[in-house]
């Protein structure tokens, strides 16, 4: 059990150092990090957002964002796996009944993991959810549909499934991973985040008791932090990728790169042009971290006094952090080759994993729409929408 924020941060830093040496090999071999995820779970880190009244540490958003940033700086795939776990712990905090919170928070404190079955391919748009939750005569539900990009499902004990009920309203059904009719297929073939196992979940008349169904649609009827909390963790992963790429670039240049013959210096690290470029990249990295911390503080402020204004401030701050961190991760991961030289392109070194991870992760949702909402908020005072992606 982790008891407070300081212990959570200390544990995350230790795990990052433990996971970092094997990250490149796991990516190159597409070796799923089961042992590493079990190790992370065993520390209690996945239970740190359980409310204090249920026995959890209930850490701040600032702490949780830093936990994800630290883990992603070591292994972006491994950090991505529990992102949905925390999102669906948060769903229970917001809309779970007292009985549901008591049951599922005990599960999380006991080391059980949530995955996700949320996105669907081939539909009209992201929120065109076609998975159905049909009421049965005995008060339970039957769940049917196909989900894609289900990060964490292969490693999960419980799989939260986003579905529409007979009234077309969104619900989350928490389904045990071994439920009859549920199949998880490891068919993720992305160029980046290779070891997240973000495959396909198929549901064929899966029986779900009413006690395991949460009315998620109610989350968006008033001020909410569901979107900002989920997006904050995505921003933290991008900031972590930027940090990991910058550290690897600096190590490569100081230990392997040769100086350009025109520079007149004995080592590449003395080249003033390279020094200048590393300074520019460090500015990008520091700015991403600063925006992430600012966004996390805005979320914590809103948690303490939630209304339309504080929720809007949190969403806008997170949108800024996510848009910036994504571009910073891509620039730094690309610049790694620019500053390191030809040898950095050797496939055996696998330095391209940072760019592949950044490019793949930043495709979750378009930064251009976050910037649109920023502009509307600044220029016209228009609050961002409550759709859960800001």
């Amino acid at each position: 059990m982790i008891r407070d924020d300081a212990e959570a941060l200390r544990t995350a830093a230790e795990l990052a150092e433990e996971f970092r040496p094997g990250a490149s090999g796991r990516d190159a071999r597409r070796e799923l990090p089961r042992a590493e995820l079990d190790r992370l779970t065993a520390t209690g880190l996945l239970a740190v957002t359980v409310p204090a009244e249920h026995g959890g540490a209930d850490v701040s958003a600032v702490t949780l964002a830093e936990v994800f940033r630290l883990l992603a700086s070591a292994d972006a795939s491994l950090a991505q796996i529990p992102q949905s776990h925390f999102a669906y712990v948060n769903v229970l905090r917001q809309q779970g009944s007292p009985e549901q919170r008591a049951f599922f928070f005990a599960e999380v404190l006991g080391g059980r993991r949530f995955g996700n079955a949320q996105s669907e391919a081939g539909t009209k748009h992201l929120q065109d959810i076609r998975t159905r939750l049909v009421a049965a005569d005995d008060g339970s539900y039957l769940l049917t549909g196909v989900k894609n990009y289900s990060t964490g499902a292969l490693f999960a004990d419980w799989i939260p499934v986003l579905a529409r009920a007979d009234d077309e309203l969104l619900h989350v059904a928490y389904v045990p991973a071994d439920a009859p009719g549920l199949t998880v297929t490891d068919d993720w073939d992305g160029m980046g985040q290779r070891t997240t196992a973000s495959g396909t979940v198929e549901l064929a008349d899966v029986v779900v008791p009413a006690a395991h169904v949460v009315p998620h649609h109610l989350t968006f009827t008033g001020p909410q932090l569901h979107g900002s909390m989920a997006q904050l963790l995505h921003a933290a992963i991008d900031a972590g990728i930027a940090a990991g790429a910058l550290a690897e670039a600096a190590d490569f240049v100081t230990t392997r790169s040769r100086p350009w013959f025109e520079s007149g210096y004995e080592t590449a690290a003395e080249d003033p042009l390279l020094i200048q470029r590393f300074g520019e990249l460090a500015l990008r990295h520091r700015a991403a971290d600063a925006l992430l911390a600012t966004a996390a503080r805005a979320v914590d402020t809103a948690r303490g006094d939630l209304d339309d204004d504080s929720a809007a401030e949190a969403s806008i701050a997170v949108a800024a952090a996510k848009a910036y961190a994504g571009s910073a991760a891509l620039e730094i991961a690309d610049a790694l080759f620019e500053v390191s030289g030809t040898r950095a392109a050797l496939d055996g070194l696998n330095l391209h994993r940072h760019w592949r991870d950044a490019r793949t992760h930043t495709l979750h949702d378009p930064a251009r729409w976050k910037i649109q909402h920023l502009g509307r908020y600044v220029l016209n005072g228009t609050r961002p929408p409550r759709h859960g992606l800001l």
Side-chain angles (χ1 to χ4, degrees), residues 46-312:
L46 296 185
V48 295
T49 59
V50 171
E53 60 267 28
H54 289 273
D58 202 5
V59 302
S60 67
V62 168
T63 292
L64 189 62
E66 180 62 6
V67 164
F68 269 77
R69 192 194 70 82
L70 287 167
L71 293 174
S73 72
D75 186 335
S77 287
L78 185 54
Q80 179 64 40
I81 291 168
Q83 190 272 341
S84 290
H85 169 90
F86 285 98
Y88 284 102
V89 169
N90 197 38
V91 168
L92 289 163
R93 287 184 67 136
Q94 295 179 84
Q95 299 302 336
S97 68
E99 294 77 16
Q100 288 172 327
R101 290 196 292 269
F103 175 77
F104 283 111
F105 290 155
E107 288 286 284
V108 173
L109 289 168
R112 261 68 73 186
R113 295 189 288 257
F114 293 160
N116 100 87
Q118 181 169 295
S119 295
E120 300 179 13
T123 56
K124 185 176 180 179
H125 51 68
L126 185 67
Q127 294 196 330
D128 181 16
I129 302 296
R130 299 184 184 179
T131 298
R132 308 302 303 186
L133 191 65
V134 179
D137 293 337
D138 63 0
S140 65
Y141 293 89
L142 292 179
L143 188 59
T144 301
V146 178
K147 298 290 189 176
N148 307 92
Y149 316 122
S150 303
T151 303
L154 194 68
F155 310 104
D157 301 288
W158 290 89
I159 301 177
V161 181
L162 194 62
R164 293 196 184 276
D166 295 334
D167 55 10
E168 296 300 322
L169 296 175
L170 281 176
H171 293 71
V172 174
Y174 288 75
V175 182
D178 60 356
L182 185 152
T183 304
V184 181
T185 304
D186 177 22
D187 55 3
W188 170 240
D189 190 30
M191 67 173 180
Q193 294 198 304
R194 289 176 171 176
T195 62
T196 59
S198 301
T200 300
V201 171
E202 296 179 74
L203 306 127
D205 288 334
V206 176
V207 177
V208 185
H212 294 172
V213 176
V214 177
H216 190 38
H217 60 95
L218 296 178
T219 301
F220 309 105
T221 59
Q224 53 84 32
L225 296 174
H226 174 77
S228 57
M229 279 296 298
Q231 289 290 307
L232 180 69
L233 302 187
H234 283 306
I237 291 168
D238 289 337
I241 294 171
L246 184 59
E248 190 132 33
D251 179 71
F252 195 96
V253 168
T254 55
T255 61
R256 300 193 189 195
S257 292
R258 296 180 296 179
W260 183 244
F261 71 93
E262 291 180 286
S263 73
Y265 288 94
E266 291 297 314
T267 67
E270 296 174 283
D271 183 340
L273 298 180
L274 277 180
I275 290 171
Q276 175 70 21
R277 186 62 175 133
F278 268 94
E280 294 167 352
L281 298 176
L283 279 175
R284 290 282 267 158
H285 163 234
R286 285 174 177 266
D289 284 357
L291 282 170
L292 179 67
T294 297
R297 287 194 297 271
V299 172
D300 281 329
T301 297
R303 283 176 63 183
D305 185 17
L306 185 61
D307 59 22
D308 284 327
D309 290 333
S310 64

Side-chain angles (χ1 to χ4, degrees), residues 244-259 267-269 274 278 335-354:
L246 184 59
E248 190 132 33
D251 179 71
F252 195 96
V253 168
T254 55
T255 61
R256 300 193 189 195
S257 292
R258 296 180 296 179
T267 67
L274 277 180
F278 268 94
L336 189 160
F337 300 96
E338 170 196 334
V339 298
S340 299
T342 306
R343 277 190 291 177
L346 294 175
D347 194 55
L349 295 176
N350 200 25
L351 294 177
H352 47 69
R353 74 184 184 281
H354 299 291

Side-chain angles (χ1 to χ4, degrees), residues 2-14 57 59-60 63 67:
I2 289 174
R3 295 297 178 186
D4 55 33
D5 292 65
E7 188 178 357
L9 292 171
R10 187 164 59 249
T11 301
E14 291 169 356
V59 302
S60 67
T63 292
V67 164

